[in-house]
């Protein structure tokens, strides 16, 4: 799955345990009803955010993770996390220069073929 939008906020990397770290950021979608989506990168992916700043338009490849937690009273609670695993700067991915049109062709189109005037047609149908 993918989410596109503008980075609203980037948080510092958090060392949760000695062997687990994460870095969260917020992407604001650009649709009729914009949504602020919290996404996290974990482990070695946290460094992917180092070259980004708030305001950058990005496409983020994500996975949705879910887990169950049983509270002290024995009641199950469920939590979801959106984990990113790739981020792409859309400003850099856009074509440089030009207006999105195809470049002019260096050749003329093929001449039209008149299929109705052939007497040498040896096809059986």
């Amino acid at each position: 799955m993918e989410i596109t939008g503008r980075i609203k906020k980037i948080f510092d990397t958090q060392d949760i345990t000695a062997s687990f770290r994460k870095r969260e950021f917020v992407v604001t979608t650009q649709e009729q009803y914009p949504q602020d989506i919290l996404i996290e990168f974990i482990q070695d992916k946290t460094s992917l955010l180092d070259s980004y700043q708030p305001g950058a338009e990005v496409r983020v490849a994500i996975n949705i993770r879910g887990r169950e937690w049983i509270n002290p009273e024995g009641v199950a609670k469920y939590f979801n996390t959106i984990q990113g695993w790739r981020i792409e700067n859309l400003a850099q991915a856009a074509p440089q220069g030009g207006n999105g049109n195809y470049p002019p062709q260096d050749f003329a189109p093929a001449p039209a073929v008149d299929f109705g005037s052939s007497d040498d047609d040896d096809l059986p149908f």
Side-chain angles (χ1 to χ4, degrees):
M1 298 172 65
E2 292 183 339
I3 292 178
T4 58
R6 290 196 184 278
I7 295 177
K8 182 174 187 173
K9 177 123 177 103
I10 300 175
F11 298 96
D12 292 332
T13 301
Q14 302 171 31
D15 292 318
I16 305 302
T17 67
S19 61
F20 181 77
R21 64 183 178 164
K22 71 177 182 176
R23 188 169 187 190
E24 298 174 324
F25 66 108
V26 177
V27 172
T28 302
T29 63
Q30 298 173 354
E31 51 196 0
Q32 182 177 358
Y33 301 104
Q35 302 292 308
D36 290 332
I37 308 294
L38 180 68
I39 303 170
E40 68 179 24
F41 282 141
I42 63 170
Q43 304 301 74
D44 61 332
K45 300 292 185 189
T46 59
S47 63
L48 293 176
L49 290 170
D50 290 346
S51 62
Y52 289 91
Q53 298 294 321
E57 190 171 344
V58 295
R59 176 182 300 125
V60 185
I62 61 163
N63 292 325
I64 298 176
R65 304 284 186 207
R67 64 191 173 284
E68 178 183 67
W69 175 70
I70 307 295
N71 71 11
E73 291 81 31
V75 177
K77 300 281 183 172
Y78 297 91
F79 297 93
N80 298 317
T81 303
I82 301 173
Q83 281 186 356
W85 52 273
R86 182 180 66 212
I87 186 168
E88 177 184 357
N89 188 335
L90 293 180
Q92 291 177 351
Q96 299 298 316
N99 56 7
N101 293 334
Y102 292 101
Q105 300 297 318
D106 293 335
F107 56 87
V113 176
D114 182 9
F115 290 105
S117 66
S118 176
D119 293 333
D120 298 337
D121 189 5
D122 58 353
L123 294 176
F125 48 89

